[in-house]
Amino acid sequence: MTDALLQVQGLTRYFDVSKPWLNRVIERSEKQFLTATADVSFEIKRGETFALVGESGSGKSTIAKMIVALLEPSAGTIRFDGQTMNFQSSAAMRALRRRFQMIFQDPFASLNPRWHVGDIIAEPIRTFGLLRGAAVMREVGRLLDIVGLSSADAGKFPHEFSGGQRQRIAIARALSSKPEFIVCDEPTSALDVSVQAQILNLMRDLQDEFGLTYLLISHDLSVVRHMSNRIGVLYLGRLVEVADGKKLFTEPQHPYSRMLLDAVPDLALSGRRRAQVQGEIPNPISPPPGCAFHPRCPLAFDRCRAEVPQPTPPPGGEAACFALGRSG
Amino acid sequence: MAEPLLSVRDLVVEFPTRRGTLRAIDRVSFDLKEGEVLGMVGESGAGKSITGAAIIGLIEPPGRIAGGEVRLRGERIDNLPPDRMRRVRGRRIGKVFQDPLTSLNPLYTVARQLTETIRTHLDVNEKEARRRAIALLDRVGIPAAARRIDDYPHHFSGGMRQRVVIALALCAEPELVIADEPTTALDVSVQAQIIDVLKEICAERGAAVMLITHDMGVIAETADRVAVLYAGRLAEIGPVRDVIKEAEHPYTAGLMGSIPTLTQTSDRLVQIPGSMPRLNAIPTGCAFNPRCTKVFDRCRVERPDPIDRGSGRQVACWLYDRAEARHD
Ligand SMILES: Nc1ncnc2c1ncn2[C@@H]1O[C@H](COP(=O)(O)OP(=O)(O)OP(=O)(O)O)[C@@H](O)[C@H]1O
Ligand SMILES: Nc1ncnc2c1ncn2[C@@H]1O[C@H](COP(=O)(O)OP(=O)(O)OP(=O)(O)O)[C@@H](O)[C@H]1O
Ligand code: SF4
Ligand code: SF4
Ligand SMILES: [Mg+2]
Ligand SMILES: [Mg+2]
C-alpha cells in the first residue's frame, strides 16, 4: 500500500455547451463541447495539503466536484484510499462519502438559511447514523467549540453570523462526519484578510489535531504557498506543473507558472521589475491546438503548436512543457 | 505650500434606513496632490467605495453627504447642482469601476462612446476626436485599435473591456481618476497588465489617481501614499513604504501581519480576533477597541482623531497622543 490517500488518473470532464437542437438544425451548427478538465493526474498523500491553483475557468472547481462525487467524470479514474470510486453504485459511494467532505467558497450559499446552525452541523451525523439522541447535540457543541464558536450558537440562524463565522460553521459541519479528507474550494476568497487569517490558522490547527488531508483550491498564490505541501498549477483544464510547496516559488519550471508568479503584486516592496505579461486566457471551447499556452508563451516554438506536451518529471516535481530548463 | 488637487475634509456620508440613520463615512479627511497615486484600502464595508462615490457626487439617494466638504483645486464640489457636477465628473474626474460593463453602454460602439465623451468635454471636431480615441486605445494596449474601435463592448474580453474603460476615463484629460477595484473581476495574470497601464498613462498625463482596493500588494507596488479605512473612519494615512513596513495603528499592523506573502517564513499568520463591526453597532470610543490588543480605558470612551506623526503620516490612535506618552 502506498501512502497516497487520493489518486487521480487521466481525469477528464466535458460539458455540452451546444445551442438547443432546433437552433443547431436551422443554423447547421455542430454540437459544441467545452473541456473543463483534460487528462489530469495527481496524487495526494495522507496528511498533506495539496493545492490546485489556476485562473478563473481553469477547471479547479470541476476537479473538486468530481473528487467529492458531485459530478461524474467523462473519463479517468479517482481512487480514494486504494478504492476506485464507482459512480454507478450508490451504496459504494455512500460508504465513501462519509470519509470526505467539502467546504465551499460562499459560506452563505452553502448553509441552509432556514435551519438552525445546530441542525446544519448535525445533518451529516444523522445522515450517516454516527450518533443518536442527546449525544448529537453534545457533539455539535463540541464542534462549535473546536472552530471557535460557542455551543449557544447552535440555536441561531446563519444570517446572524458574519462571513468568517459562517465559514467556521461550514467547517464544523464538514468535520462532523469525522472525515479524513476535506476539499476546500476557495475557502477564504469571500472573506476579508483579517478573517482569512483566522480561518487559515484554524484549518492548520485542525489538520495537526485530526491528521486531516486537504485538497485546497485557490487562485491566490500567497494563500497556497502558506498552506500547501505540494501544488498543482492548472491552465485551461490541464495540469501544467506539480511542484513541492515552496519550490514552485523559488524554481518555477513551466513558463505559465513563471508568468503567474511574476504577476502577483508584491507586498515585500522589493522593487522588482515585473516581466510584461502577454495576452489573455483563450476561449475554452476552442482552445489553441498543441500546448494551450503557446499564444502567450515567450518560449513557444513550432512543436508547441502541433503537439500536447506531457508531464516530464524533473526532481521534486513535474511540468508539461517542451522547453523545460530553458529560461525566458 | 501648494494647494492640494483634491481636499476632503470631515466627510460624513449617511444612509437613512427604517431602523435609523447609518453613518457609512464618519469624519474622513485627506488630501491628494497633483499627479499622486493614493491607495485606499480597508476590508469589505469599510467605506472605500462610498468615499469614492461621494467625491464624484454619485451617492445614491436617500444616501447623502451629511457633513464636511470636498474641494477640487480649492473649489467646493460636494454641493454643486447635478448638471455642473456631471461636467466635473466627465471632464475633471474620470472613473474606472470594478465591472467594466457598468461603465460601458452595450448598445453603442466603443468609437461612439469615446468620441462623444471627447466632444462633450473638449473642443475638437469628429475627425480629431476619433483620431485621439484610436491613439488612446492603442496606448492602453488594444491590438489593432483602428479596427477594433468600431466594435461593441461585448466583442471584447474582460481585460480588454477594462482597458476600454480606462481609455474612456482618460479621454477628456481629467486631473484625477478614481479607480474602484479596477481589477478585482479580472484574472491574476491580467490584473497586473491593467494596473500597469493605468498607472503609466496617468503618470504620462499628470493625472492623480485614487486607487481603491483591498489588495495590499497592488497598493505596495502602485501607490505613493495609502489611506487605511476602518468602519468608515480613517485609521492611518502615510507614505506607502512607512505604512507597510512600520504600521503604527494597531489595526494596520494586524492587517499587514494577517496577509500571507510570497516571501514570508512563519507558519502562523497574525490573527485579529473578531471582525469589523456593522454600521449599526460601531463601538463608542475607538471603533477598533473590541479587537485591539493595546486597548486601554480611554479608547472605550473617546474617539481618537488622526494625530500627526511627521513625514506626512497621520494615525488615529490614542497610543500616539502626547498626553498618553506623559502618563507612561
Ligand atoms: N455545468 C457547466 N456547464 C458548462 N460549462 C461549465 C459548467 N461548469 C463549468 N463549466 C466551464 O468549465 C470551465 C471550468 O470551470 P470551473 O468552475 O471548474 O473553473 P474554476 O477554475 O473553478 O474557476 P473559478 O476560479 O472561476 O471558480 C469553465 O470554462 C466553465 O465555464
Ligand atoms: N445604499 C446603502 N444603504 C445603506 N448602507 C449602505 C448603502 N451603500 C453602502 N452602505 C454601507 O456603507 C458601508 C460602506 O460601504 P462601501 O461600499 O463603501 O464599502 P467598501 O469599503 O467599498 O467595501 P467592499 O470592499 O466590499 O467594496 C457598508 O457598511 C455598506 O453596507
Ligand atoms: S510547450 Fe511550448 S508553448 Fe507550451 S509552455 Fe512549453 S515552451 Fe511554452
Ligand atoms: S485608540 Fe486604543 S483601541 Fe484604538 S487602536 Fe489605539 S490603542 Fe487600540
Ligand atoms: Mg471555482
Ligand atoms: Mg467597494
Side-chain angles (χ1 to χ4, degrees), chain A residues 192 198 201 205 226 274 280, chain B residues 43 157 221 264 268 272:
Chain A
D192 280 317
Q198 298 167 9
N201 284 343
D205 293 345
H226 180 71
R274 291 211 221 97
E280 298 189 31
Chain B
E43 301 184 84
S157 69
E221 290 199 347
Q264 105 205 11
R268 274 187 90 75
I272 311 176

Side-chain angles (χ1 to χ4, degrees), chain A residues 22 25 110 140 177 290 313:
Chain A
L22 192 61
V25 173
S110 63
V140 167
S177 67

Side-chain angles (χ1 to χ4, degrees), chain B residues 72-88:
Chain B
L72 190 63
R73 288 196 200 283
E75 181 206 350
R76 271 189 81 165
I77 57 167
D78 55 283
N79 55 2
L80 292 179
D83 60 320
R84 284 193 55 205
M85 192 60 210
R86 216 171 296 128
R87 279 213 298 279
V88 170

Side-chain angles (χ1 to χ4, degrees), chain A residues 11-315:
Chain A
L11 200 60
T12 301
R13 172 72 206 207
Y14 308 110
F15 288 109
D16 185 345
V17 290
S18 315
K19 291 190 178 148
W21 173 80
L22 192 61
N23 292 49
R24 284 209 313 279
V25 173
I26 295 167
E27 297 165 23
R28 293 166 188 276
S29 55
E30 302 270 300
K31 272 201 148 197
Q32 276 198 320
F33 291 93
L34 180 152
T35 310
T37 305
D39 198 12
V40 165
S41 306
F42 59 86
E43 277 191 6
I44 306 180
K45 297 191 187 69
R46 225 175 272 279
E48 82 169 346
T49 300
F50 182 86
L52 287 174
V53 289
E55 300 183 78
S56 185
S58 57
K60 305 182 294 296
S61 298
T62 303
I63 295 177
K65 285 182 198 148
M66 289 189 280
I67 289 175
V68 296
L70 288 174
L71 194 68
E72 198 172 334
S74 307
T77 55
I78 304 169
R79 287 164 73 83
F80 184 79
D81 201 10
Q83 206 182 328
T84 302
M85 281 168 57
N86 180 350
F87 284 79
Q88 310 315 323
S89 154
S90 54
M93 287 312 284
R94 201 179 129 88
L96 275 182
R97 259 210 186 110
R98 186 194 66 73
R99 302 176 60 191
F100 48 75
Q101 287 290 338
M102 182 152 176
I103 299 168
F104 296 92
Q105 167 170 355
D106 183 347
F108 202 60
S110 63
L111 303 175
N112 188 330
R114 282 183 294 275
W115 284 20
H116 283 127
V117 163
D119 292 323
I120 292 174
I121 298 173
E123 195 212 27
I125 304 178
R126 294 187 173 125
T127 309
F128 296 112
L130 303 176
L131 294 169
R132 283 170 202 291
V136 176
M137 279 303 152
R138 266 204 304 281
E139 176 65 6
V140 167
R142 195 183 70 89
L143 289 162
L144 281 166
D145 194 52
I146 289 174
V147 298
L149 297 171
S150 96
S151 50
D153 291 328
K156 297 185 186 158
F157 289 98
H159 72 256
E160 297 175 62
F161 295 87
S162 71
Q165 289 170 326
R166 280 179 217 148
Q167 201 56 295
R168 287 173 191 268
I169 294 167
I171 293 175
R173 176 190 152 92
L175 289 174
S176 69
S177 67
K178 300 211 183 335
E180 293 140 73
F181 178 58
I182 301 186
V183 176
C184 313
D185 190 358
E186 307 269 8
T188 58
S189 45
L191 304 177
D192 280 317
V193 279
S194 77
V195 179
Q196 163 171 289
Q198 298 167 9
I199 298 296
L200 296 179
N201 284 343
L202 173 66
M203 284 174 57
R204 283 200 151 200
D205 293 345
L206 295 172
Q207 182 167 45
D208 292 346
E209 199 173 329
F210 302 110
L212 296 170
T213 305
Y214 289 135
L215 169 60
L216 171 67
I217 287 174
S218 177
H219 63 270
D220 185 332
L221 283 159
S222 323
V223 166
V224 157
R225 178 181 178 277
H226 180 71
M227 296 292 288
S228 320
N229 304 94
R230 284 187 314 126
I231 299 166
V233 182
L234 287 166
Y235 186 75
L236 276 179
R238 285 182 189 273
L239 203 52
V240 297
E241 176 164 1
V242 176
D244 274 347
K246 310 257 178 319
K247 205 146 179 201
L248 179 67
F249 298 87
T250 52
E251 295 163 53
Q253 303 291 318
H254 196 280
Y256 175 65
S257 310
R258 283 186 225 147
M259 172 166 153
L260 211 51
L261 283 172
D262 258 351
V264 180
D266 181 11
L267 238 192
L269 291 162
S270 58
R272 92 197 135 114
R273 196 51 226 139
R274 291 211 221 97
Q276 263 289 311
V277 172
Q278 300 295 319
E280 298 189 31
I281 303 179
N283 181 349
I285 298 176
S286 48
C291 172
F293 186 57
H294 84 249
R296 306 174 76 190
C297 182
L299 299 180
F301 57 110
D302 287 347
R303 186 175 178 197
C304 311
R305 293 179 251 285
E307 256 179 83
V308 178
Q310 297 301 316
T312 27

Side-chain angles (χ1 to χ4, degrees), chain B residues 228-240:
Chain B
V228 182
L229 289 186
Y230 185 80
R233 304 171 184 189
L234 191 70
E236 180 161 3
I237 184 168
V240 126

